[in-house]
């Protein structure tokens, strides 16, 4: 495996994790990165770097960001965003992975891309639901701010420092699974 291939996998995993926090933000950032020739996408995914895609994903990102700051609307969004995260996480992996056999690319995309995005989005949706139940939605903007900040940080790291992004993804997943283990009912 070449360095380019490894970095493209790290880019894809980092963006997939970011999709778990905000579905459109990492896609918009990838679109900008492609548009400004920072990252080259696979041939069949070059459309993501078009001006039309940049504008469309930019508008979708703004709508998504603001909608998550409205209690109850954020929970409604999560019901759509969990399956969308799986699709978007898979898509960012497929669009970024370079120089691998299509079977390996799609396997990585589905497992690492879609799986990572879904795990993070599911944890976020659960956190927001708990916040809504315990605070009547008053703490949800705090959750939205943390998620958006994390999405921005991991997305930026993915594009400009993919190795750092991979480390951040591992840390995020370890935190999510350790919290899950602590909250899981003990079996006797």
């Amino acid at each position: 495996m070449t360095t380019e291939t490894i970095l493209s996998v790290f880019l894809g995993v980092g963006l997939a994790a970011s999709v778990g926090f905000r579905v459109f933000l990492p896609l918009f950032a990838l679109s900008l990165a492609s548009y400004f020739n920072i990252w080259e996408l696979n041939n069949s995914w070059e459309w993501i770097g078009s001006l039309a895609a940049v504008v469309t994903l930019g508008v979708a990102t703004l709508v998504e960001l603001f909608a998550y700051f409205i209690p109850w609307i954020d929970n409604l969004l999560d019901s759509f965003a969990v399956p969308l995260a799986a699709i978007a996480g898979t898509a960012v992996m497929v669009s970024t992975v370079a120089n691998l056999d299509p079977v390996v690319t799609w396997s990585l995309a589905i497992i690492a891309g879609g799986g990572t995005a879904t795990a993070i989005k599911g944890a976020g949706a659960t956190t927001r639901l708990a916040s809504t139940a315990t605070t009547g939605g008053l703490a949800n903007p705090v959750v939205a701010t943390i998620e958006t900040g994390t999405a921005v940080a991991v997305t930026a790291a993915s594009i400009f420092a993919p190795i750092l992004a991979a480390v951040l993804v591992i840390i995020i997943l370890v935190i999510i699974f350790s919290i899950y283990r602590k909250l899981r009912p003990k079996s006797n």
Side-chain angles (χ1 to χ4, degrees), residues 101-129:
D101 181 83
V103 172
V104 175
T105 298
W106 277 98
S107 297
L108 266 175
I110 292 167
I111 296 166
T116 300
T118 303
I120 292 172
K121 181 51 87 178
T126 303
T127 301
R128 190 175 344 284
L129 193 57

Side-chain angles (χ1 to χ4, degrees), residues 115-182:
T116 300
T118 303
I120 292 172
K121 181 51 87 178
T126 303
T127 301
R128 190 175 344 284
L129 193 57
S131 171
T132 300
T134 58
T135 69
L138 294 176
N140 290 19
V142 174
V143 174
T145 301
I146 292 167
E147 288 178 341
T148 300
T150 305
V152 168
V154 175
T155 297
S158 298
I159 291 172
F160 298 109
I163 296 169
L164 173 61
V167 171
L168 290 174
V169 170
I170 291 168
I171 292 168
I172 290 166
L173 290 173
V174 166
I175 290 169
I176 288 171
F177 288 115
S178 67
I179 291 169
Y180 171 75
R181 255 191 277 134
K182 288 179 184 175

Side-chain angles (χ1 to χ4, degrees), residues 19 22-29 56-58 60-62 64 84 88:
V19 163
R22 291 291 172 266
V23 172
F24 291 107
L25 180 87
L27 293 169
F28 175 56
T56 303
L57 291 169
T61 299
L62 287 175
E64 180 185 32
L84 280 177

Side-chain angles (χ1 to χ4, degrees), residues 3-138:
T3 303
E4 177 189 7
T5 302
I6 293 168
L7 289 177
S8 72
V9 170
F10 288 165
L11 168 67
V13 169
L15 290 176
S18 294
V19 163
F21 292 107
R22 291 291 172 266
V23 172
F24 291 107
L25 180 87
L27 293 169
F28 175 56
L30 181 62
S31 184
L32 285 172
S34 177
Y35 184 79
F36 289 110
N37 296 314
I38 295 169
W39 276 97
E40 190 175 315
L41 302 177
N42 291 330
N43 291 338
S44 59
W45 291 87
E46 287 177 348
W47 62 269
I48 292 175
S50 70
L51 183 58
V54 168
V55 170
T56 303
L57 291 169
V59 170
T61 299
L62 287 175
V63 169
E64 180 185 32
L65 290 177
F66 287 114
Y68 269 105
F69 284 94
I70 304 170
W72 302 99
I73 298 293
D74 55 359
N75 288 310
L76 178 64
L77 279 176
D78 279 338
S79 65
F80 296 105
V82 171
L84 280 177
I87 295 166
T90 301
V92 294
M93 279 293 289
V94 167
S95 68
T96 60
V97 173
N99 305 324
L100 287 178
D101 181 83
V103 172
V104 175
T105 298
W106 277 98
S107 297
L108 266 175
I110 292 167
I111 296 166
T116 300
T118 303
I120 292 172
K121 181 51 87 178
T126 303
T127 301
R128 190 175 344 284
L129 193 57
S131 171
T132 300
T134 58
T135 69
L138 294 176

